[in-house]
Amino acid sequence: IIPTILFVIFSRFSIRQETRYMLLGNALLSDLIYLLFYTLSAALNAAHVHLPEEACILLLFLLAVAYCGGLFTAAAIILDTYIAILFPLRYVAILPPSRTKKIIVLLWMCSGAFPGIFFLVLSSTHSFVPCVLETCSVPVILILTLNGIDAVKLCFWLSTTVIFLCLSLIFCCYAILYYKTKQSGIWESICSRASVTFLMHNTVLFFYFFPLLALFVESFLCINVVIRLQTGIWVSLTVCNVLMILPKVLFPFLYGLRYREILASLKSIVRRKRLRLVS
C-alpha cells in the first residue's frame, strides 16, 4: 500500500503542494526504505551470508538514517497539526510549500547527522569487530556494541536524551492542543474527527517510541549485567523484528487512507481499471 499512496501523492500536483501530504509522503518514503533494507538484512542473515565490514556498516547506517527519518517526520506531522489547529489563519504563511521542502531537507540532514556521529565513534573505536565475526544484524550489533567502551555508551545515552526530549515536546503540544480546544465541543463525541485524529496520533507515537524505550531498558539491564547477553539478544530480536515494524505497517492505514483526497484518488484508479477490464 505504501508505493500506491506515494504514487498518488507524487502524481497529483494539487496533493503534493500541501504541507501535510508532503510530510506524509516523506514519512512513507522513509518507512519504505527502512523496510526494504531491513528485509535485505534479514534475508542475508537467513541465507548465512557474511557481509564485509564496509558493506555491513553501510547497511546499518542506511537503516539508522531511514528509521530516524521516519521518526522525525512523524514528529513534524504532529507539529504541523498543532500549527494548523492553533493558527488556522496564519497556517499558510507559516508553512508554505517552499518552506516545507526546506524542512524536509533539514529532517533528512538531521537523520543523517545523528547516526553519522554514532557510526564515526564506532569506527574510530573499532567497535564493529563483532559485525564481521558474527552476523550483520541490528539487534546483535546493538547489544554487542553497548557492551563496548564508554564512548559508545555515551553516544547511545546522548541519542536517548535527544529522542526523549523530542517526545516530551510532542506531548506538551498535545496537552496545549487539548487545553485550547476543550471548550470548543469537538471532544464531546468519541467518534468525532478530532477524537479519532487524537487517538490516531497517539497510537502511531506509541508504536514509534515504545520499541525504542524497550530497547533502552533492555540495553540498560544488559549493560549492568541484570540479564544475560543471550537473553538481551533475544529481546532485541523481538523488538526489532516485531515492535519496530508495527508502526510502519499501521502508518499508511492510519494516515494515508484516512485523508479523503488520497482515498478518492485510489478509488478513481481502481474504478478506472475495472471499467477498462469490463469494456
Side-chain angles (χ1 to χ4, degrees):
I1 193 66
I2 292 180
T4 308
I5 296 176
L6 286 175
F7 172 76
V8 170
I9 292 174
F10 292 117
S11 63
R12 306 294 173 95
F13 179 79
S14 60
I15 291 180
R16 69 172 182 265
Q17 287 301 306
E18 291 192 34
T19 297
R20 53 179 177 169
Y21 296 131
M22 293 170 68
L23 292 174
L24 173 65
N26 190 60
L28 291 175
L29 182 62
S30 301
D31 290 348
L32 184 62
I33 294 173
Y34 180 85
L35 291 173
L36 289 175
F37 281 115
Y38 197 84
T39 304
L40 175 63
S41 173
L44 292 175
N45 291 328
H48 302 289
V49 176
H50 296 282
L51 290 176
E53 182 178 354
E54 294 78 11
C56 181
I57 293 174
L58 178 61
L59 180 59
L60 293 174
F61 176 73
L62 292 175
L63 280 171
V65 171
Y67 191 85
C68 290
L71 194 67
F72 292 155
T73 309
I77 290 174
I78 307 300
L79 293 176
D80 172 67
T81 306
Y82 174 83
I83 296 173
I85 292 176
L86 291 189
F87 308 100
L89 299 179
R90 298 173 54 194
Y91 173 73
V92 178
I94 295 174
L95 285 176
S98 58
R99 187 171 296 173
T100 305
K101 293 176 183 178
K102 296 177 182 177
I103 291 174
I104 290 175
V105 173
L106 180 62
L107 290 175
W108 279 106
M109 290 174 63
C110 294
S111 302
F114 283 104
I117 295 172
F118 188 72
F119 276 71
L120 283 175
V121 173
L122 290 179
S123 299
S124 61
T125 56
H126 303 286
S127 299
F128 276 112
V129 175
C131 182
V132 183
L133 297 179
E134 298 295 333
T135 177
C136 191
S137 173
V138 176
V140 176
I141 300 304
L142 180 65
I143 290 296
L144 292 177
T145 52
L146 287 177
N147 284 273
I149 63 173
D150 293 336
V152 178
K153 297 176 184 178
L154 178 62
C155 287
F156 176 77
W157 292 117
L158 286 177
S159 303
T160 306
T161 305
V162 170
I163 289 174
F164 279 98
L165 282 176
C166 294
L167 182 61
S168 302
L169 176 64
I170 291 171
F171 279 118
C172 286
C173 292
Y174 268 134
I176 295 172
L177 278 177
Y178 180 77
Y179 177 76
K180 294 285 188 180
T181 59
K182 186 173 62 174
Q183 304 298 330
S184 62
I186 63 176
W187 302 100
E188 292 180 358
S189 174
I190 300 178
C191 298
S192 66
R193 189 166 182 83
S195 300
V196 173
T197 301
F198 187 76
L199 179 63
M200 177 187 68
H201 285 315
N202 277 299
T203 302
V204 171
L205 276 178
F206 174 79
F207 281 114
Y208 261 111
F209 284 96
F210 177 73
L212 295 177
L213 179 61
L215 276 179
F216 295 149
V217 173
E218 177 265 328
S219 302
F220 179 78
L221 295 176
C222 191
I223 289 173
N224 291 277
V225 202
V226 178
I227 59 176
R228 293 185 304 168
L229 180 62
Q230 186 177 6
T231 305
I233 290 177
W234 277 109
V235 173
S236 296
L237 281 169
T238 304
V239 172
C240 292
N241 292 334
V242 180
L243 295 180
M244 295 183 85
I245 302 298
L246 272 178
K248 304 183 183 309
V249 175
L250 295 174
F251 195 88
F253 295 98
L254 291 178
Y255 276 86
L257 298 182
R258 188 172 177 272
Y259 288 118
R260 297 187 183 97
E261 292 85 352
I262 293 179
L263 190 59
S265 299
L266 288 174
K267 287 182 179 179
S268 66
I269 293 173
V270 173
R271 288 170 183 170
R272 194 178 305 162
K273 288 183 178 180
R274 286 181 178 177
L275 286 175
R276 288 176 181 174
L277 182 63
V278 171
S279 62

